[in-house]
Amino acid sequence: MGNRFQVTDRFADGAQYIGGRLRPGSSGHTHSVVDPATGESVLTYALASTADVDEAVAAAKAAFPGWAGATPGERSDALHRLAGILAEQAEDFARAESLQCGKPIRLTTEFDVPGTIDNTAFFAGAARHLQGQSAAEYSGDHTSYVRREPIGVVGSIAPWNYPLQMAAWKILPAIAAGNTIVLKPAELTPLTSLMFAQAAKEAGIPDGVVNVVTGTGREAGEHLVGHPDVVMTSFTGSTPVGKRVAEVATATVKRLHLELGGKAPFVVFDDADLEAAAHGAVAASLINTGQDCTAATRAYVQRPLFDAFVARVAELMETVRLGDPADPATDLGPLVSHVHRDRVAGFVERARGYATVVTGGEAPGGELENGAYYRPTLITGAPQDSEVVQSEIFGPVLVALPFDGDDEGIRLANDTPYGLAASAWSRDVYRANKATREIKAGCVWVNDHIPIISEMPHGGYKASGYGKDMSAYSFEEYTQVKHVMFDNTAVAAKDWHRTIFGDR
């Protein structure tokens, strides 16, 4: 295996970042960060206890008045500095992300890290644009205006599939709006979240504004979500866990933002560019080894193109190079863990009983046998109600199904509990426009699938959750809208008082 990011010295003081410093957790339990490409432990650290969560929340609460009272320009300047520091440390972030997740270095260098830097630069600008409605005299006797105010301490939980980007998606809009935050990353992949918090301190963001507690969901996560001083929770992860987060948050009447699972349809109409659709399907189903809630998972292809599409996708999948994530020539890295690899393989093995595995469907041997690798897999012949069509596999598996009429294709696309992302492939603008209107998903791409941009919102329909990450729309989650109303008459006994007492 190639050169690896060295983490032991970097996190010698622990994997909790509270009040501006690293420290060990106090739970009495440890956890190991494992390189999924080799199965080797690269860092063992002490997990957070509920007491550590309490200290992190207290630090965030203490820092809130000062940070909330900073001017938008001051917060903006700090975030601009943070973007510069992330750019300076881009190589370290890319290597650390690749190490803990098994992502190919090409993906972290060209997607994860630059996307995070761009997000930071976007929110640096957005911090100056927290605006309400213009002042006006809606009643005739009063001037009304709207203030957007920070809400307080945010307690967020991020997943393991995009640790750096998800940390940024949670932290940036929260602090740009003047809040403070306690982030719980997945215990599998805490490294870049901790590095992001350290970079925030370097940028001059005050201690306590950004805190990271690394612990289990059952202990640290539930305590964070249920903490009485946490006024909002943002969670990204699976729908079943999201339901549990909602239950815990409801007990303290918290604001809640959920970005949950997906089962994205990839709808190919019979006038589509077949080569573009096939290339798009392979890239969109295999990004991050399929561990992406917006990844293409269900290719619905109109019958005249179906056989050619299946043949071309299979051909392209067989050219994908599995290998060392540190090697720039590697296309596909391992899944995040052997446990998760076996879960993905289980879906495929069960599907053999009712569908056809066209290509893939196995773990490679040889030099890669110690890693959590799985070959790109294409399945056909699965019924619409089967688990490979309905359930989130979260691996490099694409299921292709034919359809006849346009309405049938859209109906099938909508026929899962999820609604996070989708794509439609057609040269006909009217056909594509109909698909964008009728597919129930938070994002619908046309003739592409996966690109995201900081200026546009990300979030789902149905069981994929509610609320938005990225873009100015994310401030809807992280600000309190306040109506302020001034009397303009200076009249003591107002006419409306007579509806309550006295004579008119």
Side-chain angles (χ1 to χ4, degrees), residues 356-371:
T356 300
V357 177
V358 178
T359 189
E362 62 181 3
E367 294 180 355
L368 303 180
E369 65 181 354
N370 291 329

Side-chain angles (χ1 to χ4, degrees), residues 33-37 99-103 159-163 186 188-189 288-289 291 333-341 344 372-373 394:
V33 177
V34 173
D35 176 358
L99 175 65
Q100 68 181 352
C101 300
K103 295 172 184 275
W160 48 258
N161 59 331
Y162 289 101
L188 287 174
T189 55
N288 202 32
T289 319
Q291 300 166 126
L335 291 151
V336 73
S337 70
H338 288 79
V339 169
H340 185 59
R341 191 270 310 276
V344 170
Y373 290 89
F394 227 55

Side-chain angles (χ1 to χ4, degrees), residues 298-320:
R298 298 177 292 140
Y300 294 102
V301 185
Q302 207 149 22
R303 204 168 296 275
L305 289 185
F306 182 75
D307 289 344
F309 176 87
V310 168
R312 185 60 174 138
V313 167
E315 181 181 34
L316 290 171
M317 280 187 168
E318 289 164 6
T319 69
V320 171

Side-chain angles (χ1 to χ4, degrees), residues 153-205:
V153 178
V154 177
S156 293
I157 299 177
W160 48 258
N161 59 331
Y162 289 101
L164 176 60
Q165 286 194 311
M166 294 299 100
W169 286 17
K170 302 302 183 193
I171 292 168
L172 292 170
I175 68 173
N179 303 290
T180 56
I181 189 168
V182 179
L183 175 75
K184 192 200 88 66
E187 59 268 35
L188 287 174
T189 55
L191 304 182
T192 48
S193 298
L194 293 163
M195 291 166 65
F196 190 92
Q198 291 175 304
K201 181 182 176 76
E202 289 182 53
I205 294 172

Side-chain angles (χ1 to χ4, degrees), residues 214-238:
T214 307
T216 65
R218 186 169 297 277
E219 184 171 2
E222 290 207 7
H223 192 66
L224 178 62
V225 173
H227 200 290
D229 290 332
V230 170
V231 299
M232 176 196 162
T233 290
S234 177
F235 169 80
T236 296
S238 71

Side-chain angles (χ1 to χ4, degrees), residues 323-348:
D324 177 5
D327 184 346
T330 293
D331 295 325
L332 197 73
L335 291 151
V336 73
S337 70
H338 288 79
V339 169
H340 185 59
R341 191 270 310 276
D342 293 345
R343 176 184 176 275
V344 170
F347 275 99
V348 178

Side-chain angles (χ1 to χ4, degrees), residues 219-504:
E219 184 171 2
E222 290 207 7
H223 192 66
L224 178 62
V225 173
H227 200 290
D229 290 332
V230 170
V231 299
M232 176 196 162
T233 290
S234 177
F235 169 80
T236 296
S238 71
T239 297
V241 178
K243 291 178 181 178
R244 176 60 185 160
V245 169
E247 290 174 2
V248 175
T250 299
T252 49
V253 198
K254 284 180 172 51
R255 185 177 294 196
L256 187 59
H257 166 220
L258 298 174
E259 199 265 86
L260 306 177
K263 190 70 178 174
F266 186 100
V267 184
V268 183
F269 295 101
D270 59 11
D271 67 332
D273 181 327
L274 177 62
E275 193 69 7
H279 278 82
V282 173
S285 63
L286 300 185
I287 185 170
N288 202 32
T289 319
Q291 300 166 126
D292 186 315
C293 48
T294 63
T297 61
R298 298 177 292 140
Y300 294 102
V301 185
Q302 207 149 22
R303 204 168 296 275
L305 289 185
F306 182 75
D307 289 344
F309 176 87
V310 168
R312 185 60 174 138
V313 167
E315 181 181 34
L316 290 171
M317 280 187 168
E318 289 164 6
T319 69
V320 171
R321 297 164 296 189
L322 282 68
D324 177 5
D327 184 346
T330 293
D331 295 325
L332 197 73
L335 291 151
V336 73
S337 70
H338 288 79
V339 169
H340 185 59
R341 191 270 310 276
D342 293 345
R343 176 184 176 275
V344 170
F347 275 99
V348 178
E349 290 309 305
R350 290 189 296 275
R352 293 183 192 276
Y354 56 81
T356 300
V357 177
V358 178
T359 189
E362 62 181 3
E367 294 180 355
L368 303 180
E369 65 181 354
N370 291 329
Y373 290 89
Y374 199 75
R375 293 194 185 282
T377 300
L378 177 63
I379 295 173
T380 61
Q384 177 66 15
D385 62 356
S386 62
E387 69 167 356
V388 291
V389 176
Q390 294 293 325
S391 299
E392 189 171 33
I393 299 173
F394 227 55
V397 180
L398 177 65
V399 182
L401 304 96
F403 70 91
D404 293 304
D406 290 15
D407 288 344
E408 181 191 9
I410 293 172
R411 178 181 62 78
L412 292 170
N414 286 329
D415 183 29
T416 70
Y418 301 106
L420 186 59
S423 63
W425 297 74
S426 174
R427 291 184 174 97
D428 185 326
V429 65
Y430 298 103
R431 209 175 198 184
N433 200 23
K434 173 182 169 69
T436 65
R437 290 194 310 271
E438 296 185 5
I439 293 176
K440 305 303 180 187
C443 174
V444 182
W445 293 281
V446 176
N447 295 327
D448 209 343
H449 192 117
I450 284 297
I452 53 175
I453 49 176
S454 298
E455 292 83 357
M456 288 290 110
H458 178 85
Y461 285 31
K462 303 189 294 185
S464 292
Y466 47 81
K468 299 299 179 184
D469 287 309
M470 298 198 299
S471 84
Y473 289 98
S474 65
F475 286 136
E476 302 294 331
E477 319 302 326
Y478 296 99
T479 57
Q480 189 69 264
V481 174
K482 178 186 286 184
H483 170 213
V484 178
M485 195 174 197
F486 280 87
D487 170 61
N488 293 330
T489 66
V491 173
K494 295 178 171 56
D495 187 57
W496 76 266
H497 294 174
R498 302 302 176 260
T499 62
I500 312 302
F501 73 99
D503 298 325
R504 190 175 295 278

